[in-house]
Amino acid sequence: MNQKLYRCIKNKKIKHSQAREAIFRVLQESEKCLMVSEIADRLVESYPKKISTNTIYRHLNLFVDCELVLVVQDDFKRAYYTIKEDRVMVFRVCLRCNGVKRLKIDEQSICNEFKDAEFITVHKRCQRCRK
């Protein structure tokens, strides 16, 4: 189990759960930001039992509360989840399709004003929608 997840569970004084660990693993293994429906789809492939949508939301809220996961919303308030990194994270929200993508930005490219930001969202069209 991930050490940060273990500390979160210990600090919150809750029991270890295989479902919680499976949800966290799905987020860790994904390069992209995931909606709850995408997390549920990936759990079907990797976890033997069905996990309800309410359980997924509850565990995601715990992860966000423990600062393990970031939630980014598009313009329609749809939530996308991703593992939080120890540096400023930058996301692009497409103005046309509203897709959310984590961008790989060099820390030196971020101006001093935003160095201490938790995350930054940039609203611009994605490659697919620019064509």
Side-chain angles (χ1 to χ4, degrees):
M1 178 177 9
N2 180 288
Q3 289 298 329
K4 289 181 180 180
L5 178 59
Y6 175 76
R7 280 194 301 274
C8 171
I9 290 169
K10 188 175 176 183
N11 290 340
K12 295 288 183 180
K13 296 181 176 140
I14 55 178
K15 292 181 182 177
H16 174 265
S17 158
Q18 289 182 345
R20 186 179 298 117
E21 193 172 335
I23 293 165
F24 193 75
R25 194 174 319 112
V26 165
L27 289 169
Q28 279 185 310
E29 293 171 356
S30 177
E31 285 293 316
K32 60 181 258 187
C33 302
L34 299 174
M35 296 173 61
V36 170
S37 59
E38 295 170 311
I39 293 169
D41 291 345
R42 292 181 185 203
L43 284 168
V44 168
E45 301 165 5
S46 65
Y47 191 72
K49 297 178 186 175
K50 177 158 176 35
I51 301 175
S52 73
T53 304
N54 287 341
T55 300
I56 295 171
Y57 275 114
R58 194 167 11 93
H59 292 318
L60 288 171
N61 287 335
L62 170 72
F63 301 155
V64 170
D65 188 42
C66 289
E67 298 182 358
L68 300 172
V69 169
L70 276 176
V71 59
V72 178
Q73 292 183 329
D74 67 12
D75 293 340
F76 296 106
K77 301 293 184 210
R78 287 182 294 220
Y80 295 82
Y81 297 87
T82 188
I83 295 291
K84 185 175 178 182
E85 296 177 3
D86 292 334
R87 60 184 183 87
V88 177
M89 298 174 70
V90 180
F91 300 91
R92 185 225 352 102
V93 179
C94 180
L95 295 168
R96 177 175 268 166
C97 71
N98 280 296
V100 175
K101 180 180 180 182
R102 182 175 12 170
L103 302 176
K104 305 283 186 202
I105 304 279
D106 183 12
E107 288 240 7
Q108 292 155 354
S109 301
I110 299 172
C111 70
N112 286 335
E113 181 69 28
F114 299 112
K115 292 266 188 214
D116 60 347
E118 188 171 340
F119 66 94
I120 300 167
T121 56
V122 176
H123 294 260
K124 72 179 229 178
R125 289 188 182 186
C126 65
Q127 296 273 77
R128 191 179 71 226
C129 292
R130 272 190 257 159
K131 294 178 183 178

